[in-house]
Amino acid sequence: STAGSFQRKFQMSSLGRTNCFAVIICPPLGMESHRIENDQLLTSSVYQHRYGSHRARLNIQASGDEDDMNGGAWCANPEEKINWIELDARTLTEFTGIITQGRDDPIDDYVSSYYVAFSNDSREWTVLHDGYAEWLFFGNSDKNTPVLSQFMEPVVARYIRILPQTWNGTMCMRMEVLGCPVPDHLSQYQSQNEVMHRDDLDYTHHNYLDMEKLMKSISDECPNISRFYSLGKSFKGLEIYAMEISDNPGMHETGEPEFRYTAGYHGNEALGRELLLMLMQYLCKEYKDGNPRVRHLVDETRIHLVPSVNPDGHMKAFEKGSELGSWTLGHWTEDGHDIFQNFPDLNNILWDAEDKGMVPKLISNHHVPIPEGVLSSNGSVAVETLALMSWMESHPFVLGANLQGGERLVTYPFDMRRLTKESEELEKKLHSRGYGEGEPEEEIRMIEDQSLFRWLAISYASTHHTMTQTHQGGCHTDDPTGGMGIVNRAKWKPIPGSMNDFSYLHTNCFELSIFLGCDKFPHQSELIREWEHNREALLTFMAQVHRGIKGVVRDKEGNPISNATVSVEGINHDIRTGESGDYWRLLNPGEYRVTARAEGYSPFTRLCVVGFDPGATYCSFDLNKSNWDRIKQIMALHGNRPIRLLSSGNRGSGHRYTYSRNQIPNSKFNNQFPNSNGGDMSKARLRQLRIMRIRRLRQQRLLARNTTTPPPTTTTTITTTVPPTTESTTPWYGSWPLGEFFEENTTSPEETELTDSLDYNYNYTTDDY
Ligand SMILES: *[C@@H]1O[C@H](CO)[C@@H](O)[C@H](O)[C@H]1NC(C)=O
Ligand SMILES: *[C@@H]1O[C@H](CO)[C@@H](O)[C@H](O)[C@H]1NC(C)=O
Ligand SMILES: *[C@@H]1O[C@H](CO)[C@@H](O)[C@H](O)[C@H]1NC(C)=O
Ligand SMILES: *[C@@H]1O[C@H](CO)[C@@H](O)[C@H](O)[C@H]1NC(C)=O
Ligand SMILES: *[C@@H]1O[C@H](CO)[C@@H](O)[C@H](O)[C@H]1NC(C)=O
Ligand SMILES: *[C@@H]1O[C@H](CO)[C@@H](O)[C@H](O)[C@H]1NC(C)=O
Ligand SMILES: *[C@@H]1O[C@H](CO)[C@@H](O)[C@H](O)[C@H]1NC(C)=O
Ligand SMILES: *[C@@H]1O[C@H](CO)[C@@H](O)[C@H](O)[C@H]1NC(C)=O
């Protein structure tokens, strides 16, 4: 029955028009969505190039920089008497209306009345009459609110002109044109053929109750693989609904990663909400139909889909409809928060600690705690944000993305911008000498996992049908992505307190933002097209959760160890095991030295190789209990002072072996440290120990060469286009004094040899998984 209702709704929406007071309203031709290209627009005159015809798009945003080309509207030359803007629809079109808007600017510039004319050849124009005279349409009375003017009946033509008659301030306007292409028998035959192959989904906009009904019907249709639940309530008391899709819904299965898509942080960005509702239907149907790709994904992943994080905001935007809500109506929560950037700022806490050299030895490089008082300070954190945070903390999420709108690109963190310590100091120096803003070589802090994040972003952008087609520029400016469809948020439009930064710094989950398109709230008739554009990308991105390594950390008896730390040499960002001891570490292909540590256990390091094949490499750890007494004794021998760490003089250049205590057989260990009650440990003895260790290593290495295991190498940084991130890597320090104890300061020849780094030159293609 649900399938039937999907079908019916689809057929209605596929007509692309709705009846309203007997006037047929056609959908937007695509000024806002950029489907109308710049060269389809022509104007009588232009005030300055930054206010050219290409800036006449509904909801286009001005850049804050007065010197660039991105003005907040088309503006005519004030010296001209006759003004018009013309759109070439390229095919015969039934025009049914126009939406106008003023200029995005602090000044109030808008057109308050205009005529409309039509032509089939752009030379002979017919001005629209209302039966008595030329029809003067009333336009705007402020700069932001879009105003719709409908024609009494559709007008068939190829060209349409708007001729402003009165305006406030400078003559500036933004607009959208409503029209339906006149059916052409040939193309109709083609589009019918296309429809046959499309997924049978509900391609409509859903208000809160419709969304609830749809999600219920999906969970009724696929009870075995779905669970309909809520993260909590919005400010106005609406549920923040979620759909879990997995082979055993309702429980975390050891070894199965958890994935999330969230949408609707800003209520007016409605496309993400609808795409997630379509994705739920798609997964349910395809699973039942036995689609092997979907079966595999659902069986191996616990997927959570949250279509509407800010249901209150959506309600506002939905009431106005897809075209008339302006740029920001419903963006914020009911009590005025922007949920996406309402998270505690952990970046500055970590960066300050890094600058003081405290990371990761004294302050960990991951799971940065939320400072006290941040969450309790009244009203500064939205209830929706709090609900999200507790949800994020209660599931072992590995990967996620939030779907947003108003741009067409993927951003990867950090989202917050701060200069590197070196740049900060340089800036201060220049400033104190009176050179003003330190422009030269400003370097910002980059995320440790940058090359992985770039890969994740590319996996979406490159499988989206249009995201990398940027020759026409971005939505509001030139293309900020260099044709890649991806950009680092901190370099592009930095914000503090973002969901993405918080997720990376406070949880195990890597989170990115996907901006789905210029039109935040596309017309219903666009939804089927948007689904086609995004379906492959949505599926491909989800599959990335199975990239890298995964495993379980256990003790010798096989009991899982939760909250153990898993570190990858060369990447100063650890992750932790979940309640059942399982962990996932997303990594690009390469060879990695991975160390597991847990309180009360000896750390253990092993080599894990990530290949190009789909599926994460298993890399589990069985940890031995550590001997605390012995550690304390040896600490005492050293006068309880902190024991020197390896390679302090060599920060950032290459990576070193650090030997864990596990590599020293216990029996020998015991002999070497007799119950000496703090007795002297001679230098000679230390030397002897070191030599033994070197011998043992040499042996291990020889052995390793004889087996199929590749020789130990240091961490390999795979990059796409960025240089290897070696500068930002710090040698990792074992948290266990005993392991470091044996390192002393000297570098053995073996170590030098072992640290030779090996750089791979992998080519990425999207077929690699
Ligand atoms: C354009 O051509 C179509 C079909 O030839 C005609 O129906 C329509 O009236 C013409 N429009 C104008 C503005 O001349
Ligand atoms: C019209 O423009 C002027 C000058 O730009 C501005 O001061 C005024 O507020 C505007 N009028 C309205 C009704 O917005
Ligand atoms: C759910 O699983 C049960 C048992 O495996 C099976 O009999 C039933 O057909 C499944 N239901 C659906 C709707 O797939
Ligand atoms: C809570 O809000 C009130 C009023 O806005 C303010 O006076 C008070 O200092 C706030 N308390 C805290 C702990 O921030
Ligand atoms: C997890 O381990 C860290 C130290 O590695 C500790 O600070 C934290 O309290 C532990 N958390 C739990 C829930 O055990
Ligand atoms: C654990 O200890 C045993 C000896 O009791 C040793 O053989 C083994 O290599 C150790 N394993 C690890 C992972 O440290
Ligand atoms: C390595 O293999 C060679 C021949 O396969 C053998 O002669 C040699 O003894 C092996 N070395 C070790 C350390 O096992
Ligand atoms: C990468 O791709 C280029 C061009 O396709 C090719 O010439 C080169 O050999 C490739 N490199 C590797 C390591 O596969």
Side-chain angles (χ1 to χ4, degrees), residues 563 565 576 599:
N563 199 28
T565 306
R576 287 203 195 149
E599 211 169 302

Side-chain angles (χ1 to χ4, degrees), residues 556 604 622 624 662 666:
K556 282 287 157 197
F604 187 71
D622 296 326
N624 285 337
N662 309 46
N666 279 345

Side-chain angles (χ1 to χ4, degrees), residues 563-567 574 595-599 603 623 732-736:
N563 199 28
T565 306
V566 177
S567 334
D574 304 340
T595 304
R597 290 185 191 78
E599 211 169 302
L623 297 186
W732 68 260
Y733 303 118
S735 358
W736 303 102

Side-chain angles (χ1 to χ4, degrees), residues 405-418:
E407 299 279 355
R408 204 177 58 199
L409 42 82
V410 180
T411 72
Y412 58 91
F414 287 123
D415 289 6
M416 188 180 200
R417 183 179 190 275
R418 186 165 142 187

Side-chain angles (χ1 to χ4, degrees), residues 307-380:
S308 188
V309 166
N310 176 7
D312 300 350
H314 180 267
M315 195 167 260
K316 270 191 198 161
F318 188 88
E319 274 166 19
K320 274 284 184 179
S322 53
E323 271 59 62
L324 302 179
S326 84
W327 184 245
T328 55
L329 183 75
H331 180 96
W332 295 277
T333 62
E334 190 65 22
D335 55 338
H337 294 291
D338 182 328
I339 301 173
F340 182 69
Q341 38 186 309
N342 188 225
F343 289 81
D345 164 19
L346 304 179
N347 299 54
N348 279 319
I349 295 173
L350 183 73
W351 290 337
D352 287 344
E354 272 176 3
D355 289 353
K356 290 179 191 142
M358 294 157 84
V359 181
K361 184 71 183 162
L362 298 171
I363 292 186
S364 86
N365 59 18
H366 65 290
H367 281 79
V368 178
I370 300 166
E372 249 172 72
V374 168
L375 300 182
S376 55
S377 61
N378 49 15
S380 70

Side-chain angles (χ1 to χ4, degrees), residues 182-195:
V182 172
D184 165 341
H185 290 293
L186 212 83
S187 68
Q188 198 174 31
Y189 172 73
Q190 280 170 346
S191 71
Q192 264 172 2
N193 256 1
E194 241 173 85
V195 166

